[in-house]
Every structure is written in structure tokens, then in C-alpha cells.
Amino acid sequence: MKLHFDDDVEHFRAEFAAFLDEHLPPDADTLERPRSVSHLPEWARRWQRLMFDHGWLLPQQPPEFGGRNASMLQHFVYLEELNRRRIYHSFNPQGVDIVAASLLSFGTEEQKERWAVPVLRAAMTASLGMSEPGAGSDLASLRTRAVRDGDHFVVNGQKVWTSGAHDADFLLTFVRTDPDAPRHKGISTLIIPTDSRGLTCRPMGSIVGLDDMDLNEVFFDDVRVPVENLVGPLNAGWTVANKSLGHERSMLWLSYADRLENLIADFTPTTPLEQDRYATSVIDHYALRLMGSAALARAARGEDDAAGLSVLKLLGSEAEQSLAEVALESSGPQGLIHPANSGPYAPLNLDHYFGSRFERYARSFSSTIAGGTSEIQRNIIAQRILGLPRGGGM
């Protein structure tokens, strides 16, 4: 299936493609690998600043924030072009697409200039402090406390799975400011610099190896945060969180479709079982593209379809994981070889980060967890689309 857009949208795509043709850095200039999603080598900073200065970093934003007031459909073809070429617009994606975008939506003018613009211009990096040991997909269960003390909040608690926190300049952190309020009503959002006294980041390895130190435990021990670092109204953090994740989820299906398409292109089935699972993946890919395009049309009309996005998230993440598994099984020991060990590669290209078939399979588990687990998506679908009752025992 191929979508066709109006002339203004296709002109926008062509303009962006021409920019990439002219400005993509040579492979030899991009060989230093970012060590986390909040670490930017100098070449990555230069690339992001170039994107910002030409209005291609966040196209839907106004020029002063790295955009060109693009429409939703223009933004979609921009993402398509990035995915087609398999490149990043920023190597601090959480900082740009979630943290800075959230500050532009909820922050004061001072917060936008002090925190958001430096992240967009790659002068700073940022990470997202949401998940806790007892509050992963259920953000409303968070227990990290922030108590007002004069012109500061005093923060105590712990976050976990905080990507890139040890390399970030600050965290957009969700804390409980009213323990007596209903779970969704007593949460606030704070900007917390990572060099704050009492804040400790503890990087930890992942399933793909100890050299992949992106995830962190973050501990807050009487961390004092100026009241001016409160983002949005006090106790309105649930609204900020939903908007923050909305920045991530609205077109997330396109990333799943792209990764699934590349897994399909990289895998040749040989046994009947592999052929069957391969055919299922191809069907899933077409279904994901079709349903995602319908969701895009609804969003372009201004319709809210959060439950529909859960369907796309569930289908895309689980289809990716299924095909990554069969591709790994079919490859034998060769599945452990990283592209960096088998020929030239460039970190600007996303294939560098997907790595070996083992790494792709291992990382596919995060797709069914991050941004809301598959179990959470099924609950949303059951309640909001199928109309089934909430919870209940046997």
C-alpha cells in the first residue's frame, strides 16, 4: 500500500529529502558512538543544531523552536523520510521529542528558554524520570515525594529504567506532591538537574551486555529543587504525563512498521515453519500500515483516538518481537555477529543500533514494555473498544 498526499505535502517531503541529500555528514565523521540516549558526541551535536537551524528538528513547532509550523500530514512524511533512510534527527530522542516538547506545551517562557531551547539546540540533553520500582506502566502508583519547603521542593525517592540519566543534564521528573489526593490528582512535574546535591545515578547493564549502559536507577536523597522548576500547575502532573507520552505515541506505529519492514527484508525463510511465521509477519506489516494510515487520517481531522493507538502499539510491538525471534532462531551462531564486526558501518544509520539479530531480538522485548506494556494495551482495548468491564476476579 502506498499513500498519496496533496501537492503541498509532497513538496514538503521533497524539500526535506533535498536537505538530507545536501547535508548528511560523511560516514567517516560519525564514527564515535553515543554511549547512551542522553550522550551526544560532538558530531551528533552539530547534526542536531543543523536540523534545528533549518527548521527540521521538530517541524510542527514554530521556527524559534526548530520547526516550520508543519501540518500533521507534513510531519508524517518527514518521519517517513527519516525512517526510509534509517537515520535519527536527534540522538537524544527522549530529550527532544518528549521532554523539550512537553516544556513547550506546559512550561513558562523562562523554562522554554532556559531548558527546552538548549536541549533542542543540543547544548544540553535531558531524560525522563517516570518509572519506579513499584510504578512502571502504572504511573499513578509512584511514590517519589516532593515536599514544599519555602522556595524549594525537597525530593526523596527512586526512579528506575531511566534511559540516559547518567549522561543527561536534567530530568523531567514526576513526583507526588499531595499524598492525600486521589492517585491521579497528587502528581506534579519538576525539572531536576542531575548535578543536584543528593541525586545519584546508577547505570546498569541490559540483556544485550554490560557495554550497553543506557538504563539507570536514580536516587533522590533530600534533593532541593527550586519552585520555579515546577512544570505546569501543582498537582497537574498526570495531565503533563499524558501529553508527554502522547508526543511519543501518536506516530509510534510508524517506527514499528519501519522496523518490521526491515526485519522482513533482512530475513529469508527456509523451513515451512519459518515460511509460515514470515507470511504472518508480512500480513501484520500490511495491517499495521493500513490501520496506522486510518489513524493518521482521524488525527488529521482532529479526532481523538487514544484507544486505537493502543491497538497499533500492541500489534506493532508484538509483530516485531515475533519476527525477530524466528530470524534469530534461523541464523544460528551468525545471529551473534554485530554489523560493526562484519564491515563498514555508520552510527548515523539506525542499523548500527539494532545490531546483531540477537540484539534486535533482545531489544524487541523493550518494545512490548516501554510506553505501556502489552498487558496495559490489552486492558485499554478491552475496556475502551470492546466495552468490557474493568478488572474483576474469577
Side-chain angles (χ1 to χ4, degrees), residues 50-362:
L50 187 70
M51 294 284 280
F52 179 95
D53 290 341
H54 285 78
W56 291 119
L57 186 66
L58 291 177
Q60 286 184 290
Q61 295 291 340
E64 61 267 30
F65 298 129
R68 46 185 61 205
N69 294 310
S71 69
M72 178 170 290
L73 293 180
Q74 288 173 329
H75 181 60
F76 176 80
V77 298
Y78 160 86
L79 293 176
E80 272 200 325
E81 194 64 25
L82 286 176
N83 287 337
R84 185 181 70 81
R85 296 176 185 242
R86 305 189 60 66
I87 56 176
Y88 275 132
H89 64 314
S90 167
F91 284 80
N92 180 214
Q94 270 195 355
V96 169
D97 296 326
I98 301 179
V99 176
S102 298
L103 292 175
L104 296 182
S105 295
F106 293 98
T108 63
E109 293 304 311
E110 193 275 338
Q111 287 172 344
K112 294 175 185 178
E113 291 302 318
R114 181 179 177 184
W115 303 103
V117 171
V119 168
L120 296 175
R121 291 189 54 81
M124 301 173 69
T125 62
S127 291
L128 190 64
M130 277 191 169
S131 295
E132 298 184 3
S137 294
D138 183 14
L139 180 67
S141 297
L142 70 82
R143 293 186 293 178
T144 296
R145 288 283 308 278
V147 178
R148 181 75 180 261
D149 179 25
D151 58 358
H152 284 76
F153 290 100
V154 179
V155 180
N156 285 278
Q158 178 187 355
K159 297 293 179 179
V160 73
W161 318 125
T162 310
S163 298
H166 59 303
D167 288 316
D169 292 292
F170 69 93
L171 308 178
L172 187 68
T173 312
F174 293 83
V175 296
R176 187 161 298 284
T177 44
D178 186 351
D180 299 322
R183 295 195 320 151
H184 299 81
K185 301 294 185 181
I187 298 172
S188 297
T189 312
L190 296 176
I191 298 168
I192 306 182
T194 53
D195 62 358
S196 299
R197 183 186 298 273
L199 189 154
T200 303
C201 296
R202 183 183 298 167
M204 52 187 176
S206 73
I207 192 173
V208 299
L210 291 176
D211 62 336
D212 182 37
M213 302 291 279
D214 188 56
L215 301 175
N216 285 259
E217 295 177 291
V218 182
F219 300 91
F220 304 90
D221 183 11
D222 288 335
V223 176
R224 297 184 66 83
V225 181
V227 170
E228 65 194 38
N229 286 18
L230 175 68
V231 179
L234 185 69
N235 297 324
W238 185 256
T239 300
V240 178
N242 282 320
K243 182 73 172 181
S244 299
L245 292 177
H247 291 305
E248 178 185 33
R249 290 172 176 166
S250 60
M251 293 189 187
L252 186 60
W253 67 268
L254 183 60
S255 296
Y256 289 129
D258 172 69
R259 293 200 295 268
L260 190 56
E261 182 175 5
N262 280 276
L263 280 167
I264 290 170
D266 189 45
F267 175 52
T268 301
T270 55
T271 69
L273 178 59
E274 289 174 4
Q275 291 169 348
D276 180 74
R277 294 178 69 179
Y278 177 84
T280 298
S281 297
V282 171
I283 293 170
D284 286 343
H285 175 256
Y286 278 110
L288 184 61
R289 282 277 181 182
L290 179 61
M291 292 191 296
S293 299
L296 175 66
R298 290 192 293 271
R301 294 194 297 267
E303 299 175 15
D304 184 15
D305 186 27
L309 294 179
S310 289
V311 175
L312 294 171
K313 205 283 187 178
L314 180 65
L315 171 60
S317 61
E318 298 208 339
E320 177 190 356
Q321 188 176 111
S322 177
L323 185 56
E325 178 183 29
V326 69
L328 175 61
E329 290 174 350
S330 71
S331 60
Q334 295 298 312
L336 298 175
I337 297 178
H338 192 285
N341 300 323
S342 58
Y345 68 97
L348 184 61
N349 190 287
L350 293 179
D351 288 324
H352 172 79
Y353 292 96
F354 291 141
S356 69
R357 284 188 173 181
F358 168 73
E359 288 181 84
R360 292 188 184 201
Y361 175 59

